[in-house]
Amino acid sequence: MKIKSIHIRNVRGLGDRKIELNMIPNKPSLLVAPNGSGKSSFAFAFQWLNRQRMKLSADDAYMGDVENKPCMIIETDDPSEIFVADETKNEISRKFGIYVINSGLTALPPGIHGGFQMGKAHITVPEIVLIDHIPQKKQLTDDFEEVYELTRMPKGYYPIIQNLLDNNSFMVRLNAKDLKCTSRVIKKIKEFIERSKEYTGTINERHNKIEQDDYDLLNKYPIVSTAINYIKGSYPRDRNAMLLLRAIRLLTLYYRKNKAIEDRIEYAQYKSQEKACRDLFKTLRNTWKNIEPHREKDKLSLQINDVQRISNGERDIMVFIANLYKAKGMMTKENNILIIDEVFDYLDDANMMAVQYYITYLIKQLKNAGKNIFPIILSHLNPDYYNQHYSFKDLKVYYLCPLPQPHASDNMIKLLRQRKNLAKSSEHSDDISKYMLHYHNDYSQDMSRKIGACPAEWGNIDIFKKYCDKQMDNYLDNKEYDPLAVCVALREIIESKIYSNLLESAHKDEFIEKHGTQNKLNYADEHGVDVPEIYYLLGNIYNDPMHVDNKSNKLITQTLYSRLENNAVRSMIETVRNGKV
C-alpha cells in the first residue's frame, strides 16, 4: 500500500491543504516547508487523532473559530481505500498506528523568593514515559504432582517445568490463547494422566510406551502440538515423550490457573521491554550522569529535568531515542505512520547520522514483525542535508507548500544538462560554464552550436545575460521569475565586482580561469581584495542549483524557491544587486 495524499482542513494554520504524495512503506519521506508555513500544524493534526474522532480545542481550530470543523483524509493507491477522520469518526487510527515526535523542550522560569526573581530560567524536557504500566511480579508454582496425585511416581518420570515458568525468555514467547484447552481435550489429558500411573518399568521404558501408545493420540489436537512446539524451543533435543509430558504440565496449569499464567506472561513481556530499553540507552553511555530509564511506581520513564547538565547533542539524541522507543510500542497495526516534527533541523552531523541509523533500525524491526511504517520527517532544511547517511540516499522529498515553477526554468535546466553533456567531451567542455554561467570579460563567443536545445538567441551571450538580469529584476519586484536565471545573475554581479577590484592584469586573467565561485573568491582574497562576507553566505543560493542532474530537477527548483522566497535572503540579494555591500 502507498499513501497518495494527505488532506488536512481547519487545523491551526492549515485551512485547506492537500499534499500530493507517493509514499512507499518502509522508506523515509521528507516533507519540506519554510518556517511558518504549517509544518507544526500538520504534525498537530495527527496528534489530535484519538480512537474515536478528531477533536480540537477552540484555540487550535483554524482562525480560532470552532465552526471551522477539523478533518483529515488519507488516500492510498487503492481508490477504494480512503480513510477519514473528523469530529464524528476516525477511520485513520483504525487503519494506522500513529506516533508524533517533536523536541518537547520547555523553558522553566526562575523561582521567586520574597518578591524577587532568584536565579535564571532553564530549559527542561518533560518526562517521557517509556512503559506506562509495570505489572506486579507474582510467583507461579508448578504443582502438577500434588494436584494429580503423582508424588509417588519415579522422579523424572514427569519432567518438571518450574524452570520454564521462572524463565522470562520462555514466558514472553507464550501466547495465552494458545494454552486454552476445551473440556474435551482436558478430558483426554486427564485420562492419559490416570493411564500413565499404571505404566511400569524404568523411566525410559515408560517413556517408550508413551511414545508408542499415547503421543500420536494426543498430538493430533492442535493445542497439544502447539504446546509441544513451545517446549521444543527450550528443549530441542528432548525425546517426544518428554516434550509431551512437559506440554501437559503447562496446559493443565493454565486450565487451573489461567489468570496467574497471564499475569506471569505480562510481567515477562515487561521485563523484556525493560531490558531492551536499558540496553538501548547503555549504548549512549550517559548512565554516569544518572540519566537513564528509571522505575517510578508503576511506570518506566526517562527524566532529564534540567537539560543544562548535559550537552545539547546528548539531550537531542536521548530525547529522540526515547520517543522512538515509545513509538515502537505504538506501531501495533499492519500499517503505521511516524511523524518527526523538525527534530532533525537542529542536530549536528554526528547525531544526524545516529538518528537516521535508529530510524532505519526501527524500520527493520517492524518489517521483521510483518508491519509497515511510513516515516515522515518535517523540515525546513535543504533536502541534500539528509543524504549524509547511506540508508537515506533514496529519501523521497515532498513539499508542504509546493511553489509554482515558471515554465522558463525548463530552458535553464536544458542549459545545465547541456553543460553536463559537453563535460563528457574534451573539446570546449567548459565553455557553457566559463562564458554563460560565470562572469567573463569577453562575451564575443558564439555559443549557438554548444547550447543544444536551448533558445537559439542564447547563442549570443549578451542576450542570455540580459535575460538573467531581467529575471533578477522580476524577482526583486515580486513578479514571476526564472529562479535559475536569478542565480546566474547573482553570480555575475558578485564575480564582476571582485574582478574589477583586482589590480593586476595577471591576477584578473587567473581569476577568470579559476573553476567555481568559491575558488575565485578565495583567490581574490589571497591577492588583496576585501571580499564581503555576504558573497560567501549567498554561495548556497547561486552555487548548489547550478549542478543539476536528471534525478533531482524538482528538488533543486523547489529547494531554490524556498530559499529565494525567504524575505531575509531576498533582502541580502537586493543589497548585493544595488551595490550597498
Side-chain angles (χ1 to χ4, degrees):
M1 181 185 75
K2 297 180 181 179
I3 294 179
K4 301 299 290 185
S5 70
I6 298 176
H7 190 176
I8 298 174
R9 291 199 296 263
N10 298 326
V11 177
R12 287 193 171 182
L14 297 178
D16 192 335
R17 188 74 53 80
K18 184 176 183 179
I19 306 105
E20 300 293 341
L21 308 163
N22 188 33
M23 287 186 176
I24 301 171
N26 307 315
K27 296 289 185 182
S29 294
L30 184 66
L31 192 55
V32 180
N35 286 327
S37 58
K39 292 188 298 296
S40 294
S41 297
F42 179 91
F44 189 79
F46 280 89
Q47 286 179 295
W48 276 95
L49 292 173
N50 60 31
R51 292 184 179 181
Q52 304 299 324
R53 56 180 179 161
M54 187 178 189
K55 178 65 175 176
L56 275 67
S57 66
D59 291 339
D60 296 317
Y62 181 64
M63 303 294 290
D65 186 350
V66 293
E67 294 302 315
N68 292 326
K69 304 300 183 183
C71 178
M72 180 187 294
I73 304 170
I74 294 181
E75 296 180 352
T76 71
D77 54 348
D78 183 346
S80 65
E81 288 197 315
I82 299 177
F83 306 98
V84 180
D86 55 28
E87 286 194 319
T88 64
K89 60 183 176 295
N90 184 0
E91 300 168 348
I92 294 175
S93 293
R94 287 200 291 272
K95 180 65 177 181
F96 298 95
I98 292 171
Y99 192 79
V100 178
I101 297 177
N102 44 44
S103 68
L105 290 178
T106 303
L108 291 183
I112 302 296
H113 183 72
F116 294 95
Q117 177 176 299
M118 304 296 291
K120 299 179 180 179
H122 63 277
I123 299 297
T124 186
V125 177
E127 174 188 27
I128 302 173
V129 178
L130 303 170
I131 300 175
D132 58 10
H133 173 65
I134 298 177
Q136 292 184 350
K137 181 179 181 180
K138 297 180 181 179
Q139 185 66 32
L140 189 60
T141 303
D142 176 16
D143 56 358
F144 183 80
E145 281 84 3
E146 291 79 5
V147 172
Y148 294 101
E149 300 178 351
L150 293 166
T151 54
R152 296 184 180 180
M153 292 292 104
K155 187 176 180 181
Y157 180 22
Y158 271 84
I160 62 173
I161 61 169
Q162 186 63 53
N163 56 331
L164 294 180
L165 301 178
D166 295 337
N167 188 320
N168 287 326
S169 297
F170 173 77
M171 295 302 295
V172 79
R173 296 200 308 267
L174 293 182
N175 185 335
K177 294 180 180 179
D178 292 340
L179 305 178
K180 188 175 182 180
C181 290
T182 63
S183 56
R184 181 187 176 196
V185 174
I186 283 294
K187 180 180 178 182
K188 293 295 182 182
I189 289 175
K190 288 180 177 179
E191 289 174 357
F192 162 70
I193 293 172
E194 293 303 315
R195 189 166 61 247
S196 69
K197 294 178 182 179
E198 305 302 322
Y199 295 166
T200 59
T202 65
I203 290 177
N204 191 55
E205 290 170 340
R206 298 184 194 202
H207 285 169
N208 287 340
K209 185 169 180 58
I210 289 173
E211 290 180 355
Q212 179 180 337
D213 298 344
D214 303 297
Y215 184 83
D216 291 339
L217 184 67
L218 293 171
N219 191 49
K220 70 179 182 180
Y221 296 106
I223 196 162
V224 176
S225 63
T226 298
I228 287 174
N229 286 332
Y230 276 129
I231 301 296
K232 189 181 292 185
S234 297
Y235 295 96
R237 297 183 180 179
D238 264 10
R239 60 185 297 180
N240 285 340
M242 297 277 281
L243 295 173
L244 175 64
L245 293 170
R246 292 185 199 272
I248 285 173
R249 293 183 82 119
L250 181 62
L251 291 171
T252 55
L253 183 63
Y254 183 80
Y255 181 74
R256 292 179 288 108
K257 301 179 179 181
N258 57 347
K259 182 62 168 62
I261 285 188
E262 289 168 5
D263 289 345
R264 180 69 183 88
I265 291 173
E266 183 186 18
Y267 184 77
Q269 290 172 339
Y270 156 69
K271 293 301 292 182
S272 176
Q273 293 174 342
E274 181 191 35
K275 182 180 184 304
C277 185
R278 293 191 183 281
D279 288 347
L280 177 62
F281 279 90
K282 281 181 181 177
T283 64
L284 303 178
R285 299 180 181 178
N286 283 309
T287 54
W288 64 276
K289 294 177 186 270
N290 204 33
I291 300 176
E292 59 179 342
H294 285 279
R295 179 170 178 170
E296 294 289 340
K297 296 182 180 178
D298 65 341
K299 62 185 179 182
L300 188 74
S301 63
L302 183 72
Q303 296 181 3
I304 299 180
N305 297 324
D306 185 357
V307 300
Q308 296 180 29
R309 297 167 52 208
I310 58 176
S311 70
N312 291 342
E314 289 175 314
R315 173 203 69 206
D316 292 340
I317 195 71
M318 280 194 289
V319 170
F320 182 81
I321 291 176
N323 274 293
L324 205 61
Y325 178 85
K326 189 173 181 180
K328 180 184 174 183
M330 305 291 286
M331 306 281 107
T332 57
K333 307 288 177 64
E334 180 181 350
N335 294 288
N336 305 277
I337 297 174
L338 174 65
I339 307 292
I340 303 172
D341 182 16
E342 287 203 317
V343 172
F344 280 64
D345 292 2
Y346 308 104
L347 297 176
D348 60 26
D349 290 345
N351 282 330
M352 168 69 78
M353 184 178 296
V355 298
Q356 289 191 54
Y357 164 76
Y358 284 114
I359 289 175
T360 53
Y361 183 62
L362 173 64
I363 292 172
K364 181 179 179 180
Q365 287 181 307
L366 292 178
K367 284 180 68 175
N368 290 342
K371 300 173 185 176
N372 292 323
I373 180 173
F374 294 87
I376 303 175
I377 301 165
L378 305 177
S379 176
H380 64 263
L381 297 179
N382 181 349
D384 292 340
Y385 182 67
Y386 291 86
N387 291 331
Q388 299 179 38
H389 190 255
Y390 72 92
S391 60
F392 270 22
K393 283 186 177 179
D394 56 354
L395 185 72
K396 296 279 287 183
V397 179
Y398 305 97
Y399 294 85
L400 183 61
C401 308
L403 295 160
Q405 300 180 45
H407 185 70
S409 293
D410 291 345
N411 286 324
M412 287 298 301
I413 289 174
K414 290 177 184 177
L415 184 67
L416 297 179
R417 288 177 179 167
Q418 180 65 8
R419 187 265 302 271
K420 187 174 182 180
N421 291 335
L422 286 179
K424 298 176 182 178
S425 64
S426 58
E427 186 178 2
H428 307 298
S429 61
D430 197 39
D431 281 0
I432 288 179
S433 179
K434 182 177 181 179
Y435 292 105
M436 300 183 73
L437 303 181
H438 286 275
Y439 168 76
H440 198 279
N441 60 343
D442 178 12
Y443 287 150
S444 63
Q445 295 285 329
D446 184 358
M447 302 295 293
S448 300
R449 296 183 180 181
K450 302 174 184 178
I451 60 175
C454 295
E457 62 268 24
W458 285 9
N460 183 318
I461 300 176
D462 188 57
I463 292 177
F464 170 74
K465 295 289 185 176
K466 287 179 178 178
Y467 166 78
C468 294
D469 286 341
K470 177 62 177 175
Q471 300 308 307
M472 171 67 82
D473 290 338
N474 288 348
Y475 165 66
L476 295 177
D477 290 339
N478 289 304
K479 299 177 181 178
E480 185 176 296
Y481 61 92
D482 181 333
L484 292 171
V486 171
C487 291
V488 174
L490 179 60
R491 179 187 271 172
E492 180 86 4
I493 293 168
I494 290 173
E495 292 185 4
S496 64
K497 289 185 177 181
I498 294 298
Y499 176 85
S500 64
N501 287 332
L502 287 166
L503 299 179
E504 297 183 20
S505 297
H507 292 163
K508 290 187 175 184
D509 292 343
E510 183 70 18
F511 177 86
I512 291 294
E513 296 301 322
K514 288 288 181 183
H515 291 277
T517 304
Q518 179 77 25
N519 292 331
K520 291 175 181 286
L521 297 183
N522 290 340
Y523 177 81
D525 183 69
E526 292 170 1
H527 290 83
V529 176
D530 183 14
V531 180
E533 186 67 24
I534 194 172
Y535 290 178
Y536 288 105
L537 293 174
L538 288 172
N540 288 332
I541 301 293
Y542 59 76
N543 279 333
D544 291 354
M546 294 294 102
H547 301 281
V548 68
D549 59 42
N550 293 333
K551 296 181 180 179
S552 58
N553 296 338
K554 181 179 179 182
L555 182 152
I556 283 193
T557 52
Q558 285 287 351
T559 301
L560 178 56
Y561 265 106
S562 296
R563 292 173 173 178
L564 290 175
E565 288 301 306
N566 182 285
N567 289 332
V569 170
R570 191 187 299 272
S571 177
M572 292 169 67
I573 292 175
E574 186 173 23
T575 298
V576 171
R577 177 74 161 83
N578 295 336
K580 296 180 179 179
V581 178

